[in-house]
Amino acid sequence: MKEGKLPVVVLISGSGSNLQALIDGAQSGELPIVLRAVISNMPNAYGLQRARAAGIPAEILDHRAYSDRVHYDQALWECVQAYAPELVVLAGFMRILTPAFVARYRGRLLNIHPSLLPKYRGLHTHERALAAGERTHGASVHFVTEELDGGPVILQAEVPVHPDEDPRRLAARVLVEEHKIYPLVVCWFAQGRLSLGADGLPRLDRKILHQPLRYHELSPDLLCGGAHKALP
């Protein structure tokens, strides 16, 4: 078990609701982390306001100012490294990272994706799930690898798809679950309970996760403070 608070940098592109869940957990003391900085590739991202309101340094690194992905990711790495994080969290960061960037943070880079991976990688996941007639949808937290939304999945939360569902309502219900599972996975990492092995498999409490954990099946010992009181 790690002692002290884990330094974290969060990358965003939009509203930052998952960022807010991390801010709330850090401020309440339920998450043993310190948010060193929030970095956005979009100057008007609302998440930047969330960061500033919480007293967290907020950086803008506009990808449109760079000639290509390689140069942008080099600048992004330099910006992130200035805050010396032990964990980098992607919270709605709408950029495909280069293999070089990902390799620098192997095992220390997390993402949340609004589908039950490996289903529906990429964009428009809610629309695609409805078009396919899925009865269950949800969200996944995974370690980031060079493969888009293809890193090993740690934890998933499911929601039923209602007969009269539309993408907006489905997305809203999935987001509620995202705000539960992302802080929990970050908590496990901060406590030293979660890691990515050399074999590419995630480990929780030194046990290999051959399959993703399901949030609503977790035992009480896997919860992380009062941030997860909503767990039934």
Side-chain angles (χ1 to χ4, degrees), residues 13-65:
S13 295
S15 68
S17 67
N18 274 301
L19 165 65
Q20 189 64 56
L22 297 176
I23 290 173
D24 292 345
Q27 289 181 336
S28 70
E30 293 163 352
L31 288 182
I33 64 173
V34 55
L35 294 168
R36 289 269 178 89
V38 172
I39 303 170
S40 175
N41 67 307
M42 299 298 291
N44 60 347
Y46 182 69
L48 293 168
Q49 296 184 41
R50 296 181 189 271
R52 293 176 184 126
I56 302 167
E59 299 267 8
I60 297 169
L61 197 66
D62 192 336
H63 63 278
R64 293 166 293 192

Short mmCIF file of all heavy atoms in Angstrom, two decimals, residues 13-65:
data_model
loop_
_atom_site.label_atom_id
_atom_site.label_comp_id
_atom_site.label_asym_id
_atom_site.label_seq_id
_atom_site.Cartn_x
_atom_site.Cartn_y
_atom_site.Cartn_z
N SER A 13 -10.61 17.24 -23.19
CA SER A 13 -10.94 18.01 -24.39
C SER A 13 -12.28 18.73 -24.27
O SER A 13 -12.58 19.59 -25.11
CB SER A 13 -11.00 17.10 -25.63
OG SER A 13 -9.74 16.54 -25.93
N GLY A 14 -13.09 18.36 -23.28
CA GLY A 14 -14.45 18.89 -23.23
C GLY A 14 -14.91 19.30 -21.86
O GLY A 14 -14.19 19.97 -21.11
N SER A 15 -16.11 18.86 -21.49
CA SER A 15 -16.77 19.37 -20.29
C SER A 15 -16.09 18.96 -18.99
O SER A 15 -16.18 19.65 -17.99
CB SER A 15 -18.24 18.93 -20.26
OG SER A 15 -18.32 17.53 -20.07
N GLY A 16 -15.44 17.81 -19.00
CA GLY A 16 -14.68 17.41 -17.81
C GLY A 16 -15.51 16.89 -16.66
O GLY A 16 -15.15 17.10 -15.51
N SER A 17 -16.60 16.17 -16.95
CA SER A 17 -17.41 15.66 -15.83
C SER A 17 -16.68 14.55 -15.07
O SER A 17 -16.80 14.45 -13.85
CB SER A 17 -18.77 15.16 -16.33
OG SER A 17 -18.64 14.03 -17.15
N ASN A 18 -15.91 13.72 -15.78
CA ASN A 18 -15.11 12.72 -15.07
C ASN A 18 -13.98 13.39 -14.29
O ASN A 18 -13.60 12.94 -13.20
CB ASN A 18 -14.55 11.69 -16.05
CG ASN A 18 -15.52 10.56 -16.31
OD1 ASN A 18 -15.93 9.85 -15.40
ND2 ASN A 18 -15.91 10.41 -17.57
N LEU A 19 -13.44 14.47 -14.83
CA LEU A 19 -12.48 15.27 -14.08
C LEU A 19 -13.11 15.75 -12.78
O LEU A 19 -12.48 15.69 -11.71
CB LEU A 19 -12.03 16.46 -14.92
CG LEU A 19 -11.31 17.59 -14.17
CD1 LEU A 19 -9.99 17.10 -13.59
CD2 LEU A 19 -11.11 18.80 -15.08
N GLN A 20 -14.36 16.23 -12.85
CA GLN A 20 -15.03 16.73 -11.65
C GLN A 20 -15.18 15.63 -10.61
O GLN A 20 -15.04 15.89 -9.40
CB GLN A 20 -16.38 17.31 -12.00
CG GLN A 20 -17.05 18.04 -10.84
CD GLN A 20 -16.27 19.27 -10.41
OE1 GLN A 20 -16.00 20.15 -11.23
NE2 GLN A 20 -15.89 19.34 -9.14
N ALA A 21 -15.46 14.41 -11.05
CA ALA A 21 -15.55 13.30 -10.11
C ALA A 21 -14.23 13.07 -9.38
O ALA A 21 -14.20 12.79 -8.18
CB ALA A 21 -15.99 12.03 -10.83
N LEU A 22 -13.12 13.24 -10.09
CA LEU A 22 -11.80 13.11 -9.47
C LEU A 22 -11.52 14.28 -8.54
O LEU A 22 -10.96 14.10 -7.45
CB LEU A 22 -10.72 13.01 -10.54
CG LEU A 22 -10.79 11.79 -11.47
CD1 LEU A 22 -9.72 11.89 -12.54
CD2 LEU A 22 -10.64 10.49 -10.68
N ILE A 23 -11.89 15.49 -8.96
CA ILE A 23 -11.70 16.67 -8.10
C ILE A 23 -12.48 16.48 -6.80
O ILE A 23 -11.95 16.73 -5.71
CB ILE A 23 -12.17 17.94 -8.83
CG1 ILE A 23 -11.21 18.28 -9.98
CG2 ILE A 23 -12.26 19.12 -7.86
CD1 ILE A 23 -11.69 19.42 -10.86
N ASP A 24 -13.74 16.05 -6.91
CA ASP A 24 -14.56 15.87 -5.72
C ASP A 24 -13.95 14.84 -4.78
O ASP A 24 -13.91 15.04 -3.55
CB ASP A 24 -15.97 15.44 -6.12
CG ASP A 24 -16.74 16.53 -6.85
OD1 ASP A 24 -16.32 17.70 -6.81
OD2 ASP A 24 -17.77 16.20 -7.46
N GLY A 25 -13.46 13.74 -5.34
CA GLY A 25 -12.86 12.71 -4.51
C GLY A 25 -11.58 13.17 -3.85
O GLY A 25 -11.31 12.86 -2.68
N ALA A 26 -10.77 13.94 -4.57
CA ALA A 26 -9.53 14.45 -4.00
C ALA A 26 -9.81 15.47 -2.90
O ALA A 26 -9.16 15.47 -1.85
CB ALA A 26 -8.67 15.07 -5.10
N GLN A 27 -10.78 16.35 -3.14
CA GLN A 27 -11.09 17.39 -2.16
C GLN A 27 -11.69 16.82 -0.88
O GLN A 27 -11.46 17.34 0.22
CB GLN A 27 -12.02 18.43 -2.77
CG GLN A 27 -11.36 19.31 -3.81
CD GLN A 27 -12.30 20.36 -4.38
OE1 GLN A 27 -13.52 20.20 -4.36
NE2 GLN A 27 -11.73 21.45 -4.89
N SER A 28 -12.46 15.75 -1.02
CA SER A 28 -13.09 15.14 0.15
C SER A 28 -12.12 14.27 0.94
O SER A 28 -12.41 13.89 2.08
CB SER A 28 -14.29 14.29 -0.28
OG SER A 28 -13.85 13.13 -0.98
N GLY A 29 -10.98 13.96 0.34
CA GLY A 29 -10.02 13.08 0.99
C GLY A 29 -10.28 11.61 0.72
O GLY A 29 -9.54 10.75 1.21
N GLU A 30 -11.32 11.31 -0.06
CA GLU A 30 -11.64 9.92 -0.35
C GLU A 30 -10.69 9.32 -1.37
O GLU A 30 -10.48 8.10 -1.38
CB GLU A 30 -13.09 9.82 -0.82
CG GLU A 30 -14.08 10.15 0.29
CD GLU A 30 -15.47 10.48 -0.23
OE1 GLU A 30 -15.64 10.59 -1.46
OE2 GLU A 30 -16.39 10.62 0.59
N LEU A 31 -10.11 10.15 -2.23
CA LEU A 31 -9.11 9.69 -3.18
C LEU A 31 -7.74 10.16 -2.72
O LEU A 31 -7.53 11.37 -2.54
CB LEU A 31 -9.39 10.24 -4.58
CG LEU A 31 -10.57 9.66 -5.35
CD1 LEU A 31 -10.65 10.30 -6.73
CD2 LEU A 31 -10.48 8.16 -5.47
N PRO A 32 -6.79 9.25 -2.56
CA PRO A 32 -5.45 9.64 -2.09
C PRO A 32 -4.58 10.15 -3.23
O PRO A 32 -3.53 9.60 -3.55
CB PRO A 32 -4.91 8.34 -1.50
CG PRO A 32 -5.55 7.27 -2.32
CD PRO A 32 -6.94 7.80 -2.67
N ILE A 33 -5.04 11.23 -3.87
CA ILE A 33 -4.33 11.80 -5.01
C ILE A 33 -4.22 13.31 -4.85
O ILE A 33 -5.00 13.92 -4.12
CB ILE A 33 -5.02 11.49 -6.35
CG1 ILE A 33 -6.41 12.14 -6.41
CG2 ILE A 33 -5.13 9.99 -6.57
CD1 ILE A 33 -7.09 12.02 -7.76
N VAL A 34 -3.26 13.88 -5.55
CA VAL A 34 -3.19 15.33 -5.70
C VAL A 34 -3.17 15.62 -7.19
O VAL A 34 -2.36 15.07 -7.94
CB VAL A 34 -1.94 15.92 -5.00
CG1 VAL A 34 -0.65 15.27 -5.48
CG2 VAL A 34 -1.88 17.42 -5.20
N LEU A 35 -4.12 16.43 -7.63
CA LEU A 35 -4.22 16.77 -9.05
C LEU A 35 -3.25 17.91 -9.34
O LEU A 35 -3.49 19.06 -8.98
CB LEU A 35 -5.66 17.15 -9.39
CG LEU A 35 -6.66 15.99 -9.26
CD1 LEU A 35 -8.09 16.50 -9.31
CD2 LEU A 35 -6.43 14.95 -10.33
N ARG A 36 -2.16 17.56 -10.00
CA ARG A 36 -1.09 18.53 -10.24
C ARG A 36 -1.46 19.52 -11.35
O ARG A 36 -1.07 20.69 -11.31
CB ARG A 36 0.20 17.80 -10.62
CG ARG A 36 0.86 17.05 -9.46
CD ARG A 36 1.85 17.93 -8.75
NE ARG A 36 2.47 17.27 -7.61
CZ ARG A 36 3.58 16.53 -7.67
NH1 ARG A 36 4.17 16.34 -8.84
NH2 ARG A 36 4.09 16.00 -6.58
N ALA A 37 -2.19 19.03 -12.37
CA ALA A 37 -2.55 19.90 -13.50
C ALA A 37 -3.63 19.25 -14.33
O ALA A 37 -3.81 18.03 -14.33
CB ALA A 37 -1.33 20.19 -14.37
N VAL A 38 -4.36 20.10 -15.05
CA VAL A 38 -5.31 19.67 -16.07
C VAL A 38 -4.86 20.31 -17.37
O VAL A 38 -4.64 21.52 -17.43
CB VAL A 38 -6.75 20.09 -15.72
CG1 VAL A 38 -7.69 19.80 -16.88
CG2 VAL A 38 -7.22 19.38 -14.46
N ILE A 39 -4.73 19.49 -18.42
CA ILE A 39 -4.24 19.97 -19.71
C ILE A 39 -5.30 19.66 -20.77
O ILE A 39 -5.80 18.54 -20.83
CB ILE A 39 -2.90 19.31 -20.09
CG1 ILE A 39 -1.86 19.55 -18.99
CG2 ILE A 39 -2.40 19.82 -21.44
CD1 ILE A 39 -0.58 18.74 -19.16
N SER A 40 -5.61 20.65 -21.59
CA SER A 40 -6.62 20.48 -22.64
C SER A 40 -6.05 20.86 -24.00
O SER A 40 -5.30 21.83 -24.11
CB SER A 40 -7.86 21.33 -22.36
OG SER A 40 -8.78 21.24 -23.43
N ASN A 41 -6.44 20.10 -25.02
CA ASN A 41 -6.08 20.47 -26.38
C ASN A 41 -7.08 21.44 -26.99
O ASN A 41 -6.86 21.96 -28.08
CB ASN A 41 -5.98 19.21 -27.27
CG ASN A 41 -7.34 18.56 -27.47
OD1 ASN A 41 -8.05 18.26 -26.50
ND2 ASN A 41 -7.71 18.31 -28.72
N MET A 42 -8.20 21.70 -26.27
CA MET A 42 -9.23 22.61 -26.74
C MET A 42 -9.30 23.83 -25.81
O MET A 42 -9.58 23.69 -24.62
CB MET A 42 -10.59 21.91 -26.79
CG MET A 42 -10.61 20.71 -27.72
SD MET A 42 -10.28 21.15 -29.45
CE MET A 42 -11.79 22.06 -29.83
N PRO A 43 -9.03 25.02 -26.34
CA PRO A 43 -8.99 26.22 -25.49
C PRO A 43 -10.28 26.52 -24.75
O PRO A 43 -10.27 27.12 -23.68
CB PRO A 43 -8.64 27.34 -26.48
CG PRO A 43 -7.98 26.66 -27.62
CD PRO A 43 -8.64 25.32 -27.73
N ASN A 44 -11.42 26.12 -25.32
CA ASN A 44 -12.72 26.45 -24.72
C ASN A 44 -13.31 25.30 -23.91
O ASN A 44 -14.51 25.32 -23.59
CB ASN A 44 -13.71 26.89 -25.80
CG ASN A 44 -13.95 25.78 -26.84
OD1 ASN A 44 -13.22 24.80 -26.88
ND2 ASN A 44 -14.97 25.96 -27.67
N ALA A 45 -12.53 24.31 -23.59
CA ALA A 45 -13.04 23.17 -22.84
C ALA A 45 -13.52 23.61 -21.45
O ALA A 45 -12.78 24.27 -20.71
CB ALA A 45 -11.95 22.11 -22.69
N TYR A 46 -14.74 23.25 -21.11
CA TYR A 46 -15.30 23.67 -19.82
C TYR A 46 -14.54 23.06 -18.65
O TYR A 46 -14.50 23.64 -17.56
CB TYR A 46 -16.78 23.28 -19.74
CG TYR A 46 -17.44 23.73 -18.46
CD1 TYR A 46 -17.66 25.08 -18.21
CD2 TYR A 46 -17.82 22.81 -17.49
CE1 TYR A 46 -18.24 25.51 -17.02
CE2 TYR A 46 -18.41 23.22 -16.30
CZ TYR A 46 -18.63 24.56 -16.08
OH TYR A 46 -19.20 24.98 -14.90
N GLY A 47 -13.92 21.92 -18.87
CA GLY A 47 -13.14 21.31 -17.81
C GLY A 47 -12.02 22.20 -17.28
O GLY A 47 -11.61 22.07 -16.12
N LEU A 48 -11.53 23.12 -18.11
CA LEU A 48 -10.51 24.07 -17.65
C LEU A 48 -11.07 24.96 -16.54
O LEU A 48 -10.37 25.30 -15.58
CB LEU A 48 -10.01 24.90 -18.82
CG LEU A 48 -9.22 24.14 -19.89
CD1 LEU A 48 -9.04 25.01 -21.13
CD2 LEU A 48 -7.87 23.68 -19.34
N GLN A 49 -12.35 25.35 -16.69
CA GLN A 49 -12.98 26.15 -15.64
C GLN A 49 -13.14 25.35 -14.36
O GLN A 49 -12.98 25.88 -13.26
CB GLN A 49 -14.34 26.64 -16.13
CG GLN A 49 -14.28 27.59 -17.32
CD GLN A 49 -15.65 28.12 -17.70
OE1 GLN A 49 -16.46 28.46 -16.84
NE2 GLN A 49 -15.92 28.19 -19.01
N ARG A 50 -13.47 24.08 -14.50
CA ARG A 50 -13.57 23.22 -13.32
C ARG A 50 -12.24 23.18 -12.58
O ARG A 50 -12.19 23.25 -11.35
CB ARG A 50 -13.98 21.81 -13.73
CG ARG A 50 -15.34 21.67 -14.37
CD ARG A 50 -15.59 20.20 -14.70
NE ARG A 50 -16.77 19.95 -15.50
CZ ARG A 50 -17.99 19.74 -15.02
NH1 ARG A 50 -18.19 19.76 -13.71
NH2 ARG A 50 -19.00 19.48 -15.83
N ALA A 51 -11.15 23.03 -13.34
CA ALA A 51 -9.83 22.97 -12.73
C ALA A 51 -9.49 24.27 -12.01
O ALA A 51 -9.06 24.26 -10.85
CB ALA A 51 -8.78 22.66 -13.80
N ARG A 52 -9.70 25.39 -12.68
CA ARG A 52 -9.36 26.68 -12.07
C ARG A 52 -10.20 26.94 -10.83
O ARG A 52 -9.69 27.48 -9.84
CB ARG A 52 -9.55 27.80 -13.10
CG ARG A 52 -8.56 27.71 -14.27
CD ARG A 52 -8.83 28.75 -15.33
NE ARG A 52 -7.94 28.60 -16.48
CZ ARG A 52 -8.36 28.49 -17.73
NH1 ARG A 52 -9.66 28.55 -18.01
NH2 ARG A 52 -7.49 28.34 -18.71
N ALA A 53 -11.47 26.54 -10.86
CA ALA A 53 -12.32 26.73 -9.69
C ALA A 53 -11.83 25.93 -8.50
O ALA A 53 -12.06 26.31 -7.34
CB ALA A 53 -13.76 26.34 -10.03
N ALA A 54 -11.14 24.82 -8.78
CA ALA A 54 -10.61 23.97 -7.72
C ALA A 54 -9.18 24.33 -7.35
O ALA A 54 -8.56 23.66 -6.52
CB ALA A 54 -10.68 22.51 -8.14
N GLY A 55 -8.63 25.37 -7.98
CA GLY A 55 -7.27 25.78 -7.69
C GLY A 55 -6.20 24.90 -8.31
O GLY A 55 -5.07 24.87 -7.84
N ILE A 56 -6.56 24.21 -9.39
CA ILE A 56 -5.63 23.31 -10.07
C ILE A 56 -5.08 24.02 -11.30
O ILE A 56 -5.84 24.61 -12.07
CB ILE A 56 -6.35 22.02 -10.50
CG1 ILE A 56 -6.95 21.31 -9.29
CG2 ILE A 56 -5.39 21.08 -11.24
CD1 ILE A 56 -7.93 20.22 -9.65
N PRO A 57 -3.77 24.00 -11.52
CA PRO A 57 -3.21 24.61 -12.73
C PRO A 57 -3.88 24.05 -13.98
O PRO A 57 -4.03 22.83 -14.13
CB PRO A 57 -1.73 24.23 -12.67
CG PRO A 57 -1.46 24.05 -11.22
CD PRO A 57 -2.71 23.47 -10.63
N ALA A 58 -4.31 24.94 -14.88
CA ALA A 58 -5.01 24.55 -16.10
C ALA A 58 -4.20 25.04 -17.30
O ALA A 58 -3.97 26.24 -17.46
CB ALA A 58 -6.41 25.15 -16.12
N GLU A 59 -3.78 24.10 -18.13
CA GLU A 59 -2.94 24.41 -19.28
C GLU A 59 -3.71 24.17 -20.57
O GLU A 59 -4.48 23.21 -20.67
CB GLU A 59 -1.69 23.51 -19.28
CG GLU A 59 -0.81 23.67 -18.05
CD GLU A 59 0.29 24.69 -18.26
OE1 GLU A 59 0.27 25.38 -19.31
OE2 GLU A 59 1.15 24.79 -17.38
N ILE A 60 -3.47 25.01 -21.56
CA ILE A 60 -4.02 24.81 -22.90
C ILE A 60 -2.87 24.50 -23.85
O ILE A 60 -1.90 25.25 -23.93
CB ILE A 60 -4.77 26.06 -23.38
CG1 ILE A 60 -5.96 26.36 -22.48
CG2 ILE A 60 -5.23 25.88 -24.83
CD1 ILE A 60 -6.59 27.72 -22.73
N LEU A 61 -2.99 23.38 -24.53
CA LEU A 61 -2.01 23.01 -25.55
C LEU A 61 -2.80 22.64 -26.80
O LEU A 61 -3.20 21.48 -26.99
CB LEU A 61 -1.15 21.84 -25.06
CG LEU A 61 0.15 21.60 -25.82
CD1 LEU A 61 1.11 22.77 -25.61
CD2 LEU A 61 0.80 20.30 -25.40
N ASP A 62 -3.05 23.63 -27.62
CA ASP A 62 -3.93 23.50 -28.78
C ASP A 62 -3.23 22.68 -29.87
O ASP A 62 -2.18 23.10 -30.38
CB ASP A 62 -4.30 24.89 -29.30
CG ASP A 62 -5.42 24.86 -30.32
OD1 ASP A 62 -5.62 23.81 -30.96
OD2 ASP A 62 -6.10 25.90 -30.48
N HIS A 63 -3.79 21.55 -30.23
CA HIS A 63 -3.16 20.69 -31.23
C HIS A 63 -3.10 21.35 -32.61
O HIS A 63 -2.25 20.99 -33.43
CB HIS A 63 -3.90 19.35 -31.32
CG HIS A 63 -5.31 19.48 -31.80
ND1 HIS A 63 -6.35 19.82 -30.96
CD2 HIS A 63 -5.85 19.33 -33.04
CE1 HIS A 63 -7.47 19.85 -31.65
NE2 HIS A 63 -7.21 19.57 -32.90
N ARG A 64 -3.97 22.33 -32.83
CA ARG A 64 -3.99 22.99 -34.14
C ARG A 64 -2.77 23.87 -34.37
O ARG A 64 -2.53 24.32 -35.50
CB ARG A 64 -5.27 23.79 -34.28
CG ARG A 64 -6.52 22.91 -34.35
CD ARG A 64 -7.79 23.69 -34.15
NE ARG A 64 -7.90 24.23 -32.79
CZ ARG A 64 -9.02 24.75 -32.29
NH1 ARG A 64 -10.10 24.81 -33.04
NH2 ARG A 64 -9.03 25.21 -31.07
N ALA A 65 -2.02 24.11 -33.33
CA ALA A 65 -0.82 24.93 -33.46
C ALA A 65 0.41 24.11 -33.85
O ALA A 65 1.51 24.67 -33.99
CB ALA A 65 -0.54 25.66 -32.15
#
